[in-house]
Amino acid sequence: MFLIKNVKVNGEIANIILSGNKVSGIVKDVEKITDVPSFDAQGRVIIPAFVDIHTHLREPGFESKEEIATGLKAAVAGGYSAVCPMPNTNPVTDNKYIVSYIKTRAKEVNLARVYPIGAISKGLKGEELAEMASMKNAGAVAVSDDGMPVTNSNLMRKAMEYADGLGLKVISHSEDKSLAEGHANEGANATRAGIEGISRVAEEAMVAREILLADSLNTSVHIAHVSTANSVDLVRWAKAKGIKVTCETCPHYIVGTDELILGYDCNAKVNPPLREENDRQAIIAGLLDGTIDAIATDHAPHTKAEKDREFALAPNGISGLESAFSLCYTALVESGLMSLCRLSELMSKNPSKILNLPCGEIAEGGLADFVIIDIDNEYEIDSSKWYSKGKNTPFNGYRVKGQVMTTIVDGNVVFNRESEERK
Ligand code: DOR
Ligand code: ZN
């Protein structure tokens, strides 16, 4: 038995009793329970640990950007108990051996749960379907060619049909490359900066295609990193028609706009690109009305050397695991737009449901995966202190609230900021 004492659950101080790796009770009074190992949460808020259904852990192949060990340390420091790494590794995660390798390495590291996402097509080439059944048997929970769009519509259609039969979700990186040759959102700021623009239609046309394919096949599809107002409208329309579509957005589309590129900071270069204020507002509206189901990080670590280049040459991506919650909490909850309960759903329960994972809730009999938050203390984002190898964020220096203090996975304290800082 293990006791997490003095936590704020749904606004009230309580104590959580764990038996093994499961929650066995949430009680007000623990005076009678003595001689049990415990952790004192000092009256802080406890919510289900976060579940990231869109992470790049970079291993195998790109260990200079991130390793499974550093990525998982970053995950637990960000309050995540489960992450789903994307398959754009080297070799590509398009077969059972790489899926097994990732699972094995994650078990050795033993911090957060890892649910790999396999490739849709062999080598992410968009030509031939990868072996989904054997990847699923090895532990893959979804398929995606993230980083690369599936250009061939017929291949995407086959992928949806095949994956549906296996109970795997298809996650679409929706991008028409022929409209996306630039490096920032097409608009006044890209023009001002002299950076070639990427049309919003590059995303929206593919979002529309995926929705129509899913409708025609009566299968489901999940749209990754939604960033434009029209994409939100398309998903809203599809949901109203009963089409089985879900979608995610990322903290950087909630907090940032393409104004961040005006200083040529390559840390603001991401795909899809940061958009404009009306898109940002539409994303927030979508989060509020349930059109957008989840917030995922698209944690995309890159080295300093890769990002210290001219804008057009730098790779796309923002390192996100260690700032996601604070950025979202500050922009959405502290600002009064949404309740902590809704944000928690967007970061834990809903992503978990989308991929059918056993996480995302604090319930009797449920997994003991929690995050303890300090909601009052304001602090400054400083990526030089992160555990991730990727320090690439445009949000350094942002003052935020909602600091992750402790992460508990499977009943074990896997991250505790106060003892880390004392080291
Ligand atoms: O910005 C991005 N970075 N978008 C993607 O789709 C891929 C990712 C990466 O792998 O770096
Ligand atoms: Zn992507």
Side-chain angles (χ1 to χ4, degrees):
M1 200 151 91
F2 185 75
L3 199 60
I4 307 172
K5 284 204 275 199
N6 201 9
V7 288
K8 202 178 262 179
V9 190
N10 303 326
E12 287 185 45
I13 297 289
N15 307 277
I16 300 179
I17 306 170
L18 309 182
S19 294
N21 59 352
K22 296 266 159 57
V23 176
S24 63
I26 302 170
V27 295
K28 282 256 151 68
D29 193 7
V30 283
E31 238 106 89
K32 289 187 205 96
I33 308 174
T34 48
D35 289 341
V36 168
S38 64
F39 179 85
D40 188 344
Q42 303 169 40
R44 290 182 175 134
V45 167
I46 196 164
I47 48 179
F50 311 128
V51 175
D52 191 15
I53 57 174
H54 194 145
T55 315
H56 297 274
L57 292 179
R58 305 299 193 205
E59 189 182 338
F62 300 107
E63 290 84 354
S64 61
K65 298 175 194 274
E66 192 79 289
E67 295 169 35
I68 291 173
T70 54
L72 294 186
K73 182 82 194 186
V76 295
Y80 288 87
S81 67
V83 297
C84 304
M86 283 293 177
N88 57 346
T89 49
N90 185 18
V92 169
T93 310
D94 62 2
N95 62 72
K96 63 182 176 183
Y97 303 105
I98 310 287
V99 173
S100 301
Y101 169 77
I102 294 169
K103 293 284 288 182
T104 306
R105 189 69 200 105
K107 280 213 182 83
E108 287 165 4
V109 173
N110 196 24
L111 287 170
R113 303 169 196 276
V114 173
Y115 299 103
I117 296 170
I120 290 174
S121 70
K122 286 187 182 159
L124 303 178
K125 291 199 177 109
E127 291 163 4
E128 209 184 326
L129 289 183
E131 285 172 17
M132 293 183 196
S134 62
M135 287 195 291
K136 178 173 169 150
N137 289 336
V141 294
V143 287
S144 180
D145 272 3
D146 188 62
M148 300 294 286
V150 177
T151 303
N152 183 315
S153 304
N154 192 35
L155 190 79
M156 188 50 136
R157 190 164 89 139
K158 285 188 186 142
M160 283 186 189
E161 255 184 316
Y162 200 59
D164 188 66
L166 293 167
L168 283 171
K169 186 80 71 177
V170 172
I171 302 177
S172 165
H173 167 110
S174 304
E175 180 185 15
D176 179 334
K177 280 271 183 214
S178 69
L179 289 169
E181 279 172 2
H183 305 283
N185 177 59
E186 188 175 82
N189 286 329
T191 306
R192 208 167 287 150
I195 297 172
E196 198 180 343
I198 298 172
S199 165
R200 285 179 174 72
V201 183
E203 173 177 323
E204 293 152 358
M206 291 301 239
V207 170
R209 180 193 76 174
E210 314 308 30
I211 286 170
L212 297 173
L213 284 174
D215 185 28
S216 69
L217 298 166
N218 193 27
T219 59
S220 70
V221 68
H222 178 76
I223 312 288
H225 43 54
V226 163
S227 73
T228 80
N230 279 348
S231 293
V232 177
D233 281 343
L234 285 164
V235 173
R236 189 176 287 117
W237 171 84
K239 286 189 167 184
K241 272 193 68 132
I243 300 169
K244 291 185 270 183
V245 58
T246 52
C247 72
E248 76 199 24
T249 191
C250 313
H252 38 275
Y253 305 115
I254 297 168
V255 175
T257 66
D258 62 357
E259 283 196 359
L260 288 168
I261 65 158
L262 289 173
Y264 301 97
D265 177 6
C266 293
N267 294 321
K269 183 176 178 185
V270 61
N271 186 24
L274 296 175
R275 306 289 184 180
E276 291 177 65
E277 184 56 20
N278 74 303
D279 297 291
R280 196 180 77 84
Q281 291 299 336
I283 295 285
I284 292 174
L287 289 164
L288 289 170
D289 76 5
T291 302
I292 300 178
D293 301 272
I295 298 172
T297 64
D298 197 1
H299 176 74
H302 292 290
T303 64
K304 187 166 179 324
E306 289 165 313
K307 281 290 197 179
D308 271 352
R309 307 183 69 184
E310 46 189 288
F311 206 87
L313 298 178
N316 285 302
I318 292 176
S319 182
L321 283 167
E322 287 167 86
S323 56
F325 181 74
S326 295
L327 285 172
C328 294
Y329 180 82
T330 308
L332 300 171
V333 181
E334 180 70 13
S335 64
L337 291 172
M338 105 179 17
S339 67
L340 174 60
C341 187
R342 173 69 184 148
L343 178 60
S344 164
E345 258 175 30
L346 288 162
M347 294 184 70
S348 301
K349 188 173 162 198
N350 293 359
S352 194
K353 267 212 275 190
I354 290 166
L355 295 190
N356 230 340
L357 308 178
C359 315
E361 274 180 295
I362 301 183
E364 275 182 38
L367 286 182
D369 288 11
F370 317 114
V371 57
I372 297 169
I373 312 280
D374 181 339
I375 55 168
D376 298 315
N377 179 41
E378 192 181 81
Y379 74 100
E380 199 169 289
I381 292 179
D382 175 2
S383 67
S384 71
K385 296 195 185 131
W386 286 357
Y387 297 94
S388 169
K389 285 189 179 179
K391 313 297 180 193
N392 46 305
T393 175
F395 303 117
N396 267 326
Y398 276 46
R399 295 203 64 81
V400 289
K401 284 191 176 181
Q403 191 168 33
V404 169
M405 299 307 289
T406 307
T407 306
I408 295 169
V409 180
D410 230 15
N412 298 307
V413 176
V414 291
F415 176 77
N416 188 28
R417 191 170 301 281
E418 278 158 349
S419 46
E420 293 278 336
E421 281 170 3
R422 255 182 265 125
K423 270 185 200 164

